[in-house]
Amino acid sequence: MLRSLWLLFAQGVTLALAALFVVATLRPDLLPERWHAATHTQDVVVLNKTPVALENFTPSHLSLAPAVKNAIPAVVNLSIRHEAEGAEGGDSLFSDRYFSLFSDRYFSPYQNHKSLRKMTSLGSGVIVSSQGHILTNYHVVRKTDDIRVSLADGRIFSAKIRGVDPETDLAVLQVDAQPPLPVITFADMNSVQVGDIVLAIGNPFGFGNSVSMGIVSALDRNMSGAGQHENFIQTDASINPGNSGGALIDTSGNLIGINSTSYSPSGNSLGIGFAIPVSLAQNVMTQIIETGEVSRGWLGIEPQTLEPETAKQLSLPDAQNGGVLIIGLQKGGPADRAGMQFHDIIAEINGKPVRNAYQLLSRIAELAPGDTAQLRIWRASQWRDIKIEVDRHPLRSS
């Protein structure tokens, strides 16, 4: 008898629990509030809304605002007007395919796109002296007769071109403005390393005083091949149309480069941008201000960096240090007249070792026309010394 009662009780409890489970799952609203809370304890998510305070930490440590504040007053917007049809210089505001979607929607009722595209282009520049000297890109101001400079404080000036250097894509402008003018501080390029955080400031797509952040991706980039005096800083900070000529700064607001171009089939930033290092820009600027032009030494050679593996195959001593292979000679040029030959390997110039083609070209460029360059070369498995009278580098057609 007792056994039958126990079995009946157990079956009843089991059925009750099963019914409770079904109701709690399918119709929890039928349960009393206290039962509802008890059956859903595992579904409650508790959020901690109290910020975690790190020891010795303040939000300003993550802000680059002080660097921007130091540099942005010295970065100017350039508006360039052209006589010729089509934008020969600068970065045309309405020619970019991405921006055209924006301009078609908002500007077409008010602006004549075709006229603006023919006449106006945009760029950036950096004030580098209290006398009103501005560094920018040569391609921004080439073939122009009207340059307007807009400062961050709202002042607008007309600028004249003091000089240009197509080889490095640099130009120096000057404005006649009453002091004080904001002047940027130059950084020491010897302290710049791959991985450093940098900021690009400029006038992309006409949005003035814009800042983008990235890092130094590489140094000593040469995009144009032998014969060009290029030594770019590569960065993933956005350099879009209109940024050309603007400032690339470090986290203290010091100028480390002049934004020049980006690698992109469409013209928009893909994270591969290039800036001219401030050390090169300063040298060019000084020559232009003092003499109105840039003078460089020239030997009439086409060099190619010799990799250590190739140097070993050519039995070059100290092959691990590399060298520079001559793959071309300008007929009648200084090196040709001095008896240099194809496939000579240059290891030194004036007692200084050269590791790559850019380093060799830079050392030659530093020499004055009329100087004598003494080269140590490897030819036919033996060392030779050769003297060459340096000539003036031919001016590149603009």
Side-chain angles (χ1 to χ4, degrees):
M1 182 68 179
L2 290 176
R3 184 178 179 186
S4 298
L5 291 174
W6 172 251
L7 289 175
L8 185 62
F9 173 77
Q11 290 174 352
V13 170
T14 302
L15 289 173
L17 289 174
L20 179 62
F21 174 78
V22 171
V23 172
T25 302
L26 301 179
R27 292 295 303 275
D29 55 296
L30 298 178
L31 296 175
E33 193 66 31
R34 53 197 174 91
W35 286 31
H36 182 270
T39 57
H40 286 79
T41 303
Q42 306 247 347
D43 294 334
V44 176
V45 178
V46 179
L47 299 178
N48 183 1
K49 296 184 180 181
T50 303
V52 177
L54 300 180
E55 186 178 358
N56 298 325
F57 175 83
T58 59
S60 63
H61 289 169
L62 289 179
S63 176
L64 296 170
V68 175
K69 186 177 180 180
N70 286 340
I72 206 166
V75 181
V76 300
N77 302 332
L78 302 181
S79 177
I80 301 99
R81 294 183 65 83
H82 303 269
E83 291 285 351
E85 182 175 341
E88 292 288 342
D91 299 311
S92 177
L93 177 62
F94 293 104
S95 63
D96 184 81
R97 285 184 295 174
Y98 173 81
F99 189 77
S100 65
L101 299 176
F102 178 86
S103 61
D104 286 344
R105 180 174 179 180
Y106 293 103
F107 291 126
S108 56
Y110 313 104
Q111 302 285 2
N112 183 334
H113 291 197
K114 189 172 182 180
S115 175
L116 283 173
R117 185 163 57 247
K118 290 179 180 178
M119 299 298 295
T120 304
S121 55
L122 302 174
S124 306
V126 185
I127 302 175
V128 292
S129 82
S130 57
Q131 290 76 38
H133 296 109
I134 297 172
L135 268 174
T136 187
N137 289 140
Y138 165 70
H139 79 262
V140 171
V141 300
R142 69 186 297 258
K143 296 185 179 179
T144 183
D145 55 3
D146 186 0
I147 304 172
R148 298 298 173 91
V149 177
S150 302
L151 275 63
D153 61 14
R155 288 183 289 173
I156 300 176
F157 303 99
S158 293
K160 62 180 180 180
I161 299 175
R162 283 293 302 269
V164 300
D165 183 35
E167 291 288 339
T168 55
D169 191 29
L170 286 168
V172 178
L173 312 179
Q174 189 170 14
V175 294
D176 184 11
Q178 294 296 322
L181 281 174
V183 177
I184 204 159
T185 304
F186 284 18
D188 179 8
M189 276 302 299
N190 293 323
S191 65
V192 177
Q193 303 178 59
V194 174
D196 285 351
I197 295 175
V198 292
L199 302 170
I201 307 176
N203 184 29
F205 300 111
F207 297 107
N209 302 325
S210 294
V211 183
S212 60
M213 185 183 75
I215 64 169
V216 175
S217 304
L219 296 169
D220 301 328
R221 288 293 197 216
N222 187 305
M223 295 172 56
S224 300
Q228 300 299 312
H229 301 276
E230 294 175 345
N231 181 25
F232 285 115
I233 301 168
Q234 182 182 328
T235 179
D236 62 347
S238 296
I239 299 178
N240 288 301
N243 267 124
S244 295
L248 188 71
I249 64 171
D250 61 20
T251 52
S252 296
N254 302 313
L255 182 70
I256 67 170
I258 300 296
N259 298 327
S260 181
T261 188
S262 62
Y263 179 80
S264 170
S266 67
N268 299 320
S269 176
L270 294 179
I272 305 177
F274 299 94
I276 302 162
V278 68
S279 54
L280 176 59
Q282 186 173 12
N283 177 271
V284 170
M285 177 191 71
T286 301
Q287 291 193 57
I288 288 176
I289 292 174
E290 292 180 352
T291 67
E293 60 181 1
V294 180
S295 177
R296 296 186 179 88
W298 179 68
L299 297 184
I301 59 174
E302 185 178 351
Q304 177 179 292
T305 299
L306 188 64
E307 300 298 333
E309 295 76 12
T310 308
K312 289 179 182 178
Q313 295 174 4
L314 296 174
S315 303
L316 178 69
D318 298 325
Q320 69 276 8
N321 293 327
V324 179
L325 180 68
I326 301 303
I327 60 173
L329 289 166
Q330 177 70 39
K331 187 175 181 180
D336 184 42
R337 294 195 303 266
M340 285 202 72
Q341 299 177 11
F342 287 100
H343 300 150
D344 282 348
I345 299 173
I346 300 175
E348 295 180 3
I349 178 169
N350 291 342
K352 297 179 180 179
V354 289
R355 305 279 191 255
N356 54 59
Y358 172 76
Q359 192 176 54
L360 173 63
L361 289 173
S362 296
R363 296 255 167 88
I364 295 171
E366 292 170 357
L367 301 173
D371 287 351
T372 298
Q374 181 150 339
L375 275 60
R376 186 161 181 78
I377 66 172
W378 181 255
R379 180 194 297 170
S381 299
Q382 60 180 339
W383 289 111
R384 300 170 185 260
D385 292 318
I386 184 170
K387 293 182 178 180
I388 306 175
E389 183 177 347
V390 179
D391 205 343
R392 181 185 176 89
H393 194 285
L395 293 177
R396 188 170 122 190
S397 174
S398 59

